[in-house]
């Protein structure tokens, strides 16, 4: 019959019983009944944790968790379940329990984790957007940690591209902070994605939980891409977890004078990560192909619009540079660019920088 969620939650609720020991017990005994038999026979007496009163309290705590999950629409997936994520099951010390809202895809759908610093540069933002959208076009799930910066950009870009994204959090699913992250989690669910945690409802995030969360982000994925990271950085920890788990690790090279790229450049230099030089090469390495939508040829309302559009690419250009190269006064160039932006051909970035829309 195997282990039931309530039985595993009971073990997790026993004071002094570590997550590693719970995993070992679930792996050692085919079902809870076998565990009870070993307990009755005194085989686990050395643990000294399973008194009747302790088990009664643990059973009550497990019932409370189950009830709360039912109220919140949270599904409990245990390592003993057939629908536990296949790749995650085989990492060292996988989470015994996953609390899930939303829908996990079948194991034949590739998952790619995109991570990076909370305080990203414009370069990091643009790279995260390009790679996240390309992953969606290739049919992959984009996974990240719902943190500010690169994580949020990866999630939001996947949603704009009508893709599926997973968010792994370091708190209970009812304690996601800040409010902006909680709103993004709801959007992920609306678009058919999933939000996951190994912590039960009511658990607030603590600093020690984030490294544990990172091993799940890497463990779910076929490959991990680090967009930007300083030294030290949580994204570097995710990369090291991925490396130890046998995942493909990639990093986007950055400016050697930028602190935000010191971590990614270090991963490449130490041959922990492969340089990700373009979304197409990155996905080809993984045997995936980007299915870019066929875009109609742009139409222009004036020669000035056409000149400005021709000057733009994926590298941001300032309005002063564009007006100079197009031979137009700044105010005229800006008016034309705003019209192009209104029609979805151009995108304005902070500081009056412009690029072509993807």
């Amino acid at each position: 019959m195997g282990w039931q969620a309530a039985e595993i939650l009971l073990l997790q609720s026993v004071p002094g019983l570590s997550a590693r020991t719970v995993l070992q017990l679930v792996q050692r005994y085919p079902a809870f009944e076998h565990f009870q038999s070993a307990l009755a026979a005194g085989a686990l007496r050395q643990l000294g944790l399973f008194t009747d009163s302790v088990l009664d309290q643990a059973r009550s705590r497990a019932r409370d968790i189950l009830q709360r999950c039912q109220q919140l629409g949270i599904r409990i997936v245990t390592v003993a379940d057939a629908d536990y994520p296949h790749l995650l099951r085989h990492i060292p010390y996988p989470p015994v329990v996953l609390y899930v809202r939303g829908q996990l895809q079948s194991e034949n759908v590739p998952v790619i984790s995109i991570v990076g610093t909370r305080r990203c540069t414009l370069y990091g933002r643009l790279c995260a957007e390009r790679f996240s959208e390309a992953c969606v076009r290739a049919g992959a799930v984009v996974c990240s940690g719902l943190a500010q910066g690169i994580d949020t950009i990866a999630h939001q870009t996947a949603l704009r591209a009508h893709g599926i994204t997973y968010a792994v959090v370091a708190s209970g699913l009812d304690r996601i902070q800040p409010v902006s992250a909680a709103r993004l989690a709801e959007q992920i669910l609306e678009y058919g994605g999933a939000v996951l945690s190994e912590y039960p409802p009511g658990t607030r995030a603590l600093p020690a939980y984030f490294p544990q969360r990172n091993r799940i982000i890497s463990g779910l994925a076929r490959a991990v891409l680090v967009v930007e990271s300083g030294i030290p950085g949580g994204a570097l920890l995710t990369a090291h977890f991925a490396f130890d788990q046998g995942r493909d690790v990639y990093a986007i090279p950055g400016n050697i004078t930028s602190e935000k790229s010191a971590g990614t450049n270090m991963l490449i230099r130490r041959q922990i990560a492969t340089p990700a030089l373009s979304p197409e090469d990155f996905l080809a390495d993984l045997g995936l192909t980007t299915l870019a939508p066929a875009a109609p040829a742009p139409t222009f309302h004036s020669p000035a619009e056409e000149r400005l559009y021709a000057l733009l690419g994926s590298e941001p250009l300032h309005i002063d540079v564009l007006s100079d190269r197009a031979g137009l006064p700044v105010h005229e160039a800006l008016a034309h660019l705003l019209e192009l932006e209104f029609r979805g051909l151009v995108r304005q970035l902070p500081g009056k920088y412009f690029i072509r829309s993807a």
Side-chain angles (χ1 to χ4, degrees):
M1 184 175 178
W3 288 83
Q4 302 300 307
E7 297 161 350
I8 293 178
L9 291 177
L10 184 154
L11 290 185
Q12 287 192 316
S13 301
V14 172
L17 200 62
S18 69
R20 183 172 297 188
T21 302
V22 172
L23 177 63
Q24 290 170 344
L25 291 173
V26 172
Q27 292 174 334
R28 180 186 304 172
Y29 298 104
F32 186 67
E33 291 77 11
H34 296 81
F35 164 77
Q36 286 181 307
S37 298
L39 197 61
L44 300 173
R45 189 177 294 112
Q46 70 275 16
L47 292 177
L49 300 171
F50 301 107
T51 65
D52 289 342
S53 62
V54 166
L55 288 175
D56 286 343
Q57 292 175 9
R59 192 171 288 108
S60 176
R61 166 66 174 156
R63 281 197 299 266
D64 290 344
I65 294 174
L66 284 169
Q67 183 179 13
R68 185 63 176 151
C69 287
Q70 186 174 19
Q71 291 170 346
L72 295 171
I74 296 172
R75 183 162 57 98
I76 297 174
V77 181
T78 77
V79 73
D81 293 335
D83 57 347
Y84 189 91
H86 175 72
L87 290 178
L88 186 64
R89 186 190 301 277
H90 297 288
I91 70 170
Y93 304 109
V96 183
V97 171
L98 287 175
Y99 298 90
V100 182
R101 288 187 66 201
Q103 182 64 42
L104 296 175
Q105 303 299 300
S106 64
E107 64 180 65
N108 63 333
V109 178
V111 177
I112 297 174
S113 289
I114 299 177
V115 296
T117 180
R118 295 171 184 262
R119 297 178 178 85
C120 61
T121 65
L122 177 59
Y123 169 74
R125 168 180 286 278
L126 294 175
C127 287
E129 289 175 347
R130 288 184 63 200
F131 278 81
S132 181
E133 181 174 1
C135 289
V136 170
R137 301 295 182 205
V141 172
V142 173
C143 179
S144 200
L146 204 65
Q148 294 179 343
I150 296 299
D151 290 16
T152 290
I153 294 164
H155 290 307
Q156 290 176 334
T157 303
L159 295 179
R160 284 198 301 270
H162 306 289
I164 300 296
T165 181
Y166 295 164
V168 185
V169 300
S171 68
L173 297 183
D174 59 338
R175 290 291 184 269
I176 296 175
Q177 294 291 335
V179 173
S180 59
R183 284 199 297 262
L184 179 55
E186 293 301 322
Q187 292 173 356
I188 288 170
L189 297 173
E190 289 172 11
Y191 278 78
V195 185
L196 308 85
S197 176
E198 66 176 317
Y199 301 105
T203 305
R204 295 189 180 277
L206 295 175
Y209 295 169
F210 288 91
Q212 298 300 314
R213 181 273 312 261
N214 291 352
R215 88 189 193 285
I216 301 175
I217 293 174
S218 57
L220 286 167
R222 177 176 168 184
V224 171
L225 172 68
V226 185
V227 177
E228 272 190 326
S229 177
I231 301 176
L236 296 186
L237 187 58
T238 306
H240 284 285
F241 276 129
F243 186 80
D244 292 340
Q245 292 165 356
R247 305 296 189 257
D248 294 319
V249 184
Y250 293 83
I252 296 177
N255 190 324
I256 62 171
T257 65
S258 171
E259 292 182 0
K260 304 301 182 185
S261 291
T264 49
N265 291 340
M266 180 271 292
L267 290 173
I268 294 169
R269 179 170 59 83
R270 294 186 180 177
Q271 299 183 336
I272 295 171
T274 300
L277 302 181
S278 74
E280 294 75 22
D281 289 346
F282 165 67
L283 292 167
D285 257 9
L286 300 174
L288 301 172
T289 303
T290 302
L291 301 175
T299 58
F300 304 105
H301 297 169
S302 69
E305 282 189 359
E306 189 169 4
R307 286 203 307 277
L308 287 165
Y309 185 81
L311 290 169
L312 290 169
S314 57
E315 188 72 21
L317 290 178
H318 192 265
I319 181 60
D320 291 342
V321 174
L322 285 166
S323 65
D324 181 64
R325 293 181 181 177
L328 295 169
V330 171
H331 70 278
E332 287 188 23
L334 187 58
H336 289 301
L337 288 165
L338 293 177
E339 175 61 28
L340 290 170
E341 182 181 18
F342 181 75
R343 302 208 305 273
L345 298 175
V346 164
R347 179 179 169 193
Q348 183 175 183
L349 304 172
K352 289 292 188 291
Y353 283 87
F354 293 84
I355 59 172
R356 285 192 189 185
S357 295

